[in-house]
């Protein structure tokens, strides 16, 4: 298994969160998104057969906090981020080598952070 790490900082240089990307074989990588202390965080994991091309957003205790699903009608590389109630929090789309992330005004800070981590992970995945 290959593991990559990165940290996201705000404009003042303060760490906002850390990400660990775990790649294994042909399966989609799993992202572990931790707060700056490294104590708490979330996991972005392939949803497998339950949602082809989709991902589950989980707390460390396994609680489901949302999902990442392929955008309807779009080709590969376009995703929607939804919270546990199904409310859209963000959208991302990639046309190599660039990715665009649009945060919805009603989206929570948590989903915004996970959407940013996922989008950076997609960019790093296909470098």
């Amino acid at each position: 298994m290959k593991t990559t790490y990165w940290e996201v900082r705000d404009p003042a240089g303060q760490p906002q969160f850390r990400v660990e990307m775990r790649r294994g074989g042909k399966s989609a990588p799993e992202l572990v998104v931790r707060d700056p202390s490294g104590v708490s965080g979330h996991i972005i994991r392939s949803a497998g057969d339950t949602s082809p091309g989709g991902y589950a957003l989980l707390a460390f205790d396994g609680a489901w906090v949302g999902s990442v699903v392929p955008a309807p009608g779009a080709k590969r590389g376009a995703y929607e981020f939804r919270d546990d109630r199904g409310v859209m929090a963000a959208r991302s789309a990639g046309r190599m080598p660039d990715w665009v992330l649009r945060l919805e005004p009603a989206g929570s800070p948590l989903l915004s952070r996970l959407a940013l981590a996922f989008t950076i992970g997609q960019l790093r995945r296909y470098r």
Side-chain angles (χ1 to χ4, degrees):
M1 180 178 289
K2 183 179 178 185
T3 305
T4 305
Y5 301 89
W6 69 87
E7 187 171 70
V8 175
R9 296 177 174 267
D10 67 15
Q14 297 300 312
Q16 297 300 298
F17 58 90
R18 297 176 184 153
V19 181
E20 174 184 342
M21 181 191 300
R22 301 173 182 164
R23 299 180 201 193
K26 293 183 179 183
S27 64
E30 177 177 273
L31 300 176
V32 179
V33 183
R34 299 178 187 272
D35 69 359
S37 71
V39 175
S40 64
H42 294 82
I43 298 169
I44 303 171
R45 175 180 295 151
S46 173
D49 295 337
T50 60
S51 176
Y55 296 81
L57 305 176
L58 307 166
F60 276 173
D61 65 3
W64 189 74
V65 296
S67 62
V68 182
V69 295
K75 293 184 179 182
R76 182 180 171 173
Y79 296 95
E80 293 181 351
F81 301 81
R82 297 187 177 271
D83 67 15
D84 58 349
R85 295 168 292 148
V87 176
M88 188 172 328
R91 297 174 193 203
S92 71
R95 182 178 289 172
M96 292 306 165
D98 299 315
W99 279 82
V100 175
L101 174 63
R102 177 181 172 207
L103 303 175
E104 298 294 331
S108 72
L110 169 62
L111 268 286
S112 296
R113 186 171 46 249
L114 294 176
L116 180 58
F118 179 86
T119 303
I120 293 170
Q122 292 298 305
L123 179 63
R124 289 174 172 256
R125 182 178 177 189
Y126 294 109
R127 274 190 185 172

